[in-house]
């Protein structure tokens, strides 16, 4: 979800192609020439258009070489499309999926004949639950909104294009981050199910969410992407008031992977949302790209800040920090409560400090400085890589407290302090590395800490994608937003690609592949940092298995799969009553009399929230999805002070042995440790490295709960 606004749409993706195919020549052999008409060009670079045609054809015929042999023409100037020699089955494979039952629903400013095409193949909107609950007209807040699937705010457009947008050359935001924009699964088709409304900051009704799930399941989607969440405290997994948990269970039961945002309430612990084990929950990471500004002081020392400012350079001009008198000399320099003398501010750059993480402090300070005739603002704050421009493209540059203090000391030691501010420049690659974003919600899971959440991290900081013209930050058709709303569609697109490669994999298998192959280090080998106060090494409660590694996830070797029996085990271990479980499952279900442990749910992680002095053993089962005859051996990185052993010590797979169960035993002599200790267990055949995170917390005294971890 966006840091400033909740998500406006759920977004299911279709993996199959929906193009207009025309046979124009019937030959004696099995190949006919077919025209694949793709309509208006989606970008202006002819070479990129042709590349996309070859890429699409190669997915159908098996290789780029074969695609080149079969390609007759690439239409790339007046419109987009190609002619190729295809069999009838290949033509059918590239055209309208036969199982697709969706529709494009008309509504305000949305005409299905104009707005649905070969990319957007379905559009529905659901507002009755919202109207019934709030009993007010939709436009009561004064915000722009449409009674249709049309996106007013831009959030749904941004996430949709991130997940499945086609190639668009020469895209940028205010001249920054220039390049070719594309979605994670650029050839996927999109169906939009709008359930959130531009009212009082964004509102979604569970009744509408459940109806959207119901229709999306019927329509035949393959992936559901929801950058929507509910605040802490959450409803239980079997409470229908949590429309996401309930709806996603039924989607999962039909093989549909549901991907959701972790939330934007970080870096505080226990803030992660969408925690049901059948949901794939996504944290947000930064990428190896920054937008830097040079801050040159009058003493010729240059410091670096970050910002979104592409206006003119601010030449050497006065630099001011608003000192105060009295008991609190820093009171006037607090960004959200700046106290300025207008005669002193005019024509100067102002420095202020804030401990607030939200943008309200920066926006407030910029407005105050601008109103006083100031020409720029330097904000010293907690490090956070998520950036937005100030209104009116006013020069706002962010620095950390260290740099801010250096600037302040310079001001205090000079009678006539001066500064020069440069416009932002895009920097890519080393020495930049991915970090878990400051805002990204963190574990442990507040419903059940033994279920690791978030599951995975993906890029969610300063993500450039398409938007609505009504987006307050829009630059033409594009914008950069930050939030777990932005990381979620990255994973959704990757899931779509994995689903295309492995159509028989279950949602749990896909989730396992992502978690067990994720990266814990940057490409340079440096560890991943979690932004916060203070910054720290990232752990599984920050990023789950790590930052997504799509290529490795395509061939994970082993997966920790789950079926309905595993989810029933979880529900019973959570002590939900039989009636609620039966209603969710759809069959009469009675939990066994013997106590089940949530620790034995077959997840690609082992989290033990409360182990007393002694030992505990848990069970996991892996399925071989790699080479038929393979042998895996374990490598253990135990949590500090905890001994970890695995039985058996080797897993041997062959044509008849595809699943193997193993036991993991944890032993500790620690008396009490209120903090989690982390480690990992990796199975490897020297080609694949199937890693799951481990976390253990030991306590002598447990004042709450029933102690069923012991």
């Amino acid at each position: 979800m966006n840091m400033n606004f909740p998500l406006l749409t759920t977004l299911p993706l279709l993996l199959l192609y929906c193009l207009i195919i025309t046979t124009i020549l019937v030959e004696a052999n099995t190949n006919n020439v077919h025209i694949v008409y793709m309509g208006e060009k989606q970008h202006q670079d002819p070479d990129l258009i042709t590349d996309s045609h070859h890429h699409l054809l190669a997915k159908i015929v098996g290789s780029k070489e074969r695609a080149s042999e079969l390609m007759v023409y690439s239409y790339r100037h007046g419109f987009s499309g190609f002619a190729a020699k295809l069999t009838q089955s290949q033509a059918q494979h590239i055209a309208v999926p036969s199982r697709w039952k969706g529709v494009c629903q008309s509504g305000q400013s949305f005409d299905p004949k104009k707005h649905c095409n070969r990319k957007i193949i379905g559009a529905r909107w659901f507002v009755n639950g919202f109207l019934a609950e709030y009993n007010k007209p939709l436009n009561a807040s004064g915000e722009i909104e449409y009674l249709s699937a049309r996106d007013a705010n831009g959030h749904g457009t941004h996430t949709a294009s991130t997940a499945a947008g086609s190639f668009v050359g020469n895209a940028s935001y205010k001249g920054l981050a220039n390049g070719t924009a594309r979605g994670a699964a650029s050839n996927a088709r999109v169906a939009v199910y709008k359930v959130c409304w531009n009212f009082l900051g964004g509102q979604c009704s569970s009744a509408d969410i459940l109806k959207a799930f119901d229709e999306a399941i019927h329509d035949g989607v393959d992936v559901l992407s929801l950058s929507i969440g509910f605040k802490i405290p959450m409803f239980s997994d079997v409470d229908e008031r949590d429309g996401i948990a309930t709806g996603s269970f039924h989607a999962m039961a039909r093989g549909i992977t549901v991907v959701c945002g972790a939330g934007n309430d970080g870096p505080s612990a226990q803030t992660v949302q969408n925690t049901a084990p059948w949901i794939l929950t996504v944290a947000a990471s930064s990428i190896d790209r920054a937008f830097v500004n040079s801050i040159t002081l009058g003493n010729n020392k240059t410091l670096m800040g970050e910002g979104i400012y592409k206006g003119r350079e601010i030449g050497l001009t006065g630099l001011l920090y608003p000192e105060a008198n009295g008991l609190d000399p820093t009171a006037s320099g607090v960004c959200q409560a700046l106290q300025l003398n207008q005669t002193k501010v005019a024509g100067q750059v102002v420095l202020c400090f804030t401990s607030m993480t939200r943008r309200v402090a920066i926006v407030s300070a910029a407005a105050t400085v601008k109103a006083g005739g100031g020409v720029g603002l330097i904000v010293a704050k907690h490090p956070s890589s998520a950036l937005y421009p100030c209104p009116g493209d006013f020069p706002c540059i962010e620095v950390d407290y260290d740099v801010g203090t250096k600037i302040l000391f310079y001001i205090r030691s000079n009678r006539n302090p001066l500064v020069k501010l440069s416009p932002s420049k895009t920097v890519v690659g080393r020495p930049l590395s991915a970090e878990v974003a400051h805002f990204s919600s963190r574990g442990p899971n507040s419903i059940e800490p033994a279920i690791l959440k978030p599951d995975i991290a993906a890029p969610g900081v300063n993500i450039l994608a398409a938007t609505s013209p009504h987006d307050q930050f829009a630059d033409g058709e594009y914008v950069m937003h930050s939030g777990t709303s932005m990381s979620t569609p990255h994973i959704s697109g990757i899931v779509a690609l994995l689903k295309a490669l492995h159509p028989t994999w279950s949602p749990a298998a896909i989730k396992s592949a992502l978690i067990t192959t994720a990266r814990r280090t940057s490409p340079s080998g440096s560890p991943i940092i979690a932004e916060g106060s203070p910054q720290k090494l990232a752990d599984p409660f920050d990023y789950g298995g790590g930052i997504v590694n799509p290529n490795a996830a395509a061939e994970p070797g082993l997966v920790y799969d789950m079926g309905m029996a595993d989810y029933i085990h979880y529900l019973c271990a959570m002590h939900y009553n039989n009636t609620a479980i039966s209603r969710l499952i759809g069959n009469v279900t009675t939990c066994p009399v013997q106590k089940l442990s949530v620790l034995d749910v077959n997840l690609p992680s082992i989290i033990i929230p409360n182990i007393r002095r002694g030992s505990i053993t848990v069970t996991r089962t892996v399925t071989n999805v790699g080479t038929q005859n393979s042998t895996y051996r374990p490598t253990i990185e135990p949590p500090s002070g905890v001994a970890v052993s695995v039985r058996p010590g080797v897993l041997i797979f062959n044509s008849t042995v595809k699943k193997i169960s193993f036991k993991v035993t944890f032993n500790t002599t620690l008396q009490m440790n209120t903090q989690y200790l982390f480690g990992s267990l990796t199975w490897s055949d020297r080609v694949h490295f199937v890693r799951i995170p481990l976390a253990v917390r030991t306590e002598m005294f447990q004042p709450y709960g029933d102690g069923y971890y012991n």
Side-chain angles (χ1 to χ4, degrees), residues 477-611:
E477 297 176 340
Y478 292 94
V479 74
M480 281 198 296
H481 281 313
S482 299
T484 56
S485 282
M486 286 68 241
S487 56
T488 298
H490 278 88
I491 294 297
S492 302
I494 293 168
V495 168
L497 297 174
L498 292 176
K499 189 97 172 175
L501 284 173
H502 306 288
T504 62
W505 282 10
S506 69
I510 290 174
K511 179 161 83 167
S512 173
L514 292 169
I515 292 174
T516 61
T517 59
R519 295 188 293 105
R520 292 184 297 157
T521 61
S522 66
S524 64
S526 59
I528 295 170
I529 301 298
E531 292 182 343
S533 299
Q535 292 192 340
K536 66 181 183 68
L537 291 178
D539 62 51
F541 293 144
D542 302 314
Y543 61 14
I547 295 179
V548 65
N549 184 351
N551 290 336
E555 299 293 339
L558 305 176
V559 295
Y560 292 75
D561 205 358
M562 292 177 65
M564 190 56 66
D566 298 280
Y567 295 112
I568 293 174
H569 177 121
Y570 164 77
L571 295 167
C572 290
M574 288 292 291
H575 307 293
Y576 295 134
N577 65 60
N578 291 330
T579 301
I581 296 174
S582 298
R583 184 170 60 242
L584 186 66
I585 300 298
N587 293 311
V588 176
T589 301
T590 302
C591 292
V593 176
Q594 69 269 27
K595 191 184 298 182
L596 296 176
S597 173
V598 72
L599 298 178
D600 288 325
V601 178
N602 199 43
L603 293 167
S605 59
I606 301 175
I607 313 296
I608 304 179
N610 183 30
I611 179 174

Side-chain angles (χ1 to χ4, degrees), residues 264-345:
N264 299 320
D265 295 315
S268 298
Q270 293 187 312
T271 54
V272 63
Q273 306 169 22
N274 295 313
T275 58
W278 47 84
I279 293 174
L280 181 47
T281 308
V282 188
S285 65
S286 62
I287 56 178
D288 61 343
R289 182 178 68 194
F291 307 107
V292 300
N293 302 81
S294 296
I295 304 170
T296 303
L297 304 178
N299 58 8
N300 288 325
K301 289 187 177 179
T302 298
L303 304 170
M304 302 307 294
E306 290 188 278
I308 304 293
Y309 171 64
K310 286 297 290 183
R312 63 179 179 84
E313 178 180 270
I314 307 297
L316 276 176
T317 189
L319 177 60
L320 168 70
Y321 173 74
E323 300 276 9
N325 297 317
L327 294 176
D328 188 358
T330 62
S332 297
V334 177
C335 296
Q336 61 269 25
L338 272 181
Q339 300 173 32
L340 301 175
N341 183 323
Q342 292 188 5
T343 60
K344 292 174 59 179
V345 176

Side-chain angles (χ1 to χ4, degrees), residues 41 43-53 74 76-77:
K41 297 180 301 178
H43 45 79
Q44 299 302 316
D45 188 333
D47 291 335
L48 279 177
I49 296 173
T50 295
D51 287 345
S52 69
H53 297 162
S74 174
R76 58 185 194 160
H77 298 295

